[in-house]
Amino acid sequence: MTAESTGYTRSRLEQLDAADPMSRWRLKFQPCDPGRVALDANSIGPMPGDVPARIDRILKQGWHGLGRRGWSEADWLDKPARLGAAVAHLIGAGADDVLVCDNTTVNLFKLLGHAWRARRQGFRILTEAANFPTDLHVADGFARLISEAGGQAELVRAPSREAVLQRLASADPDIAVVMLTHTDFRDGSAWDLATTTAAAHASGALMLWDLSHSAGAVDIDLLGAGADFAVACGYKYLCGGPGGPSLAFVHPRHREVAPILQGWMGHVGQPGFSPDYQPAPGVLRLATGTPSVVANEVFAAAADIWKQVDRAELAARHRALGDVMIGLLDQQCAGLGVSVLSPRDAAQRGGHVAFSHEGAGPIVQALLARNVTLSFRSPNAVRAGISPLYHNRVDLWDAIAVLRDVLVSGEWRRPEYSKLSI
């Protein structure tokens, strides 16, 4: 914990915010309604300020004005690569290593296929039993597809992080791909990306990371770690809008691997109409169908902000805010049944801070009724998704003040708060 974590007061946090040069980024986003604190950047990040104007322009000048001419006269078809280049530095990738397209689930399947074709050995996909559900679903479906087609594939769900590392240390030659989510979606703990990638490579396997609860919040260096593949959700900390497109990363050494999902937008010289598929160069071959123009324009509003942001400064701000959140929970909620779940060491934390309480679900509902947005994950976790560009220390003070009142008063026990939302 830092020196600023002792004896919090609202005025002291206001002073720290005023002296923090990163506070200026807040002005790039639409402000919350007065009295509302939304700590849910791990679900839907804050909206960039010029999104309404961009949507209005794309509808009037693009769809209604240009119509089909937009495919050739606007940048609609170039957007996936341009957006990837704009945010690549946030995950330690090169401008030509990232494509913004589809969604996380689809990109996971595509990159599992990429990894399967690039693998050097084995038939097993190693993951953690507590991985994010969609990752498990995709890997299970992929393995079944290979098996039903006459190949050999198996999904191995190790019961813990320690078991994953033990399996890698055993140098099992049957492990082909290791697929892990960098930040645990429940408690916010994070894998050591570089060390785990090195362990996967030492065992002979390729490494696929899901960065959905990390990208845009913590320091990630994919090229420095030598990671083979990665995906990231675009609408969480990256602020790409509800259901916004996902990031797909391919290390340069795997660029020429043929994609498993071949689409006309991933064809060389797209939009080509050749009946015989020829992959576009590098990461461009991961494109599938027609890009979502409106969703990409929303993402572009965020990307124009992100391309100005230094990754190290971003991560430092996020660590500082996470430390304040944990310090406030300790100071304001002591003796009220709250227990911090996330690592106190910021180097081991991912995008959000989580705490437990026996009434976690109803507490989140009671907070929503008081204009404070957090999220609940079964069985007893409450999560605060802190946006390093948007949130400040006073936001955290105000949210914890309401939380304390809800706990002290027992308001969360009211029957209307027993019906839980996502």
Side-chain angles (χ1 to χ4, degrees), residues 118 131 225 258 311 315:
N131 205 343
R311 191 180 84 213

Side-chain angles (χ1 to χ4, degrees), residues 201-376:
H201 288 169
S203 76
L206 299 180
M207 188 71 235
L208 168 57
W209 286 105
D210 182 345
L211 307 174
S212 292
H213 291 83
S214 302
V218 300
D219 194 2
I220 299 166
D221 187 2
L222 290 175
L223 290 178
D228 299 286
F229 309 99
V231 299
C233 178
Y235 58 81
K236 298 182 187 295
Y237 297 100
L238 290 173
C239 307
S246 164
L247 277 64
F249 160 85
V250 176
H251 193 282
R253 62 175 166 266
H254 301 304
R255 280 180 180 169
E256 301 313 309
V257 175
I260 194 169
L261 188 57
Q262 300 176 173
W264 71 313
M265 288 295 158
H267 189 283
V268 65
Q270 59 87 5
F273 292 93
S274 170
D276 300 315
Y277 179 80
Q278 298 179 44
V283 75
L284 297 177
R285 65 188 57 195
L286 289 180
T288 51
T290 306
S292 178
V293 173
V294 177
N296 282 350
E297 191 62 32
V298 174
F299 196 103
D304 282 350
I305 297 172
W306 287 118
K307 64 187 180 184
Q308 306 172 59
V309 175
D310 180 85
R311 191 180 84 213
E313 292 178 355
L314 173 80
R317 179 89 190 300
H318 191 262
R319 288 193 298 269
L321 292 175
D323 285 345
V324 169
M325 183 72 183
I326 291 174
L328 284 171
L329 287 168
D330 290 341
Q331 176 180 303
Q332 303 292 88
C333 299
L336 297 176
V338 167
S339 179
V340 174
L341 292 174
S342 298
R344 291 176 179 272
D345 180 356
Q348 299 176 27
R349 279 201 310 268
H352 57 277
V353 170
F355 64 89
S356 66
H357 190 281
E358 62 168 324
I363 286 169
V364 168
Q365 296 305 119
L367 290 172
L368 283 172
R370 299 274 295 270
N371 280 329
V372 174
T373 306
L374 287 89
S375 58
F376 162 68

Side-chain angles (χ1 to χ4, degrees), residues 45 65 98 107 128-129 176 240 259 289 315 320 369 400 403 418:
V98 179
N107 281 333
E128 184 183 12
I400 298 301
L403 171 64
S418 62

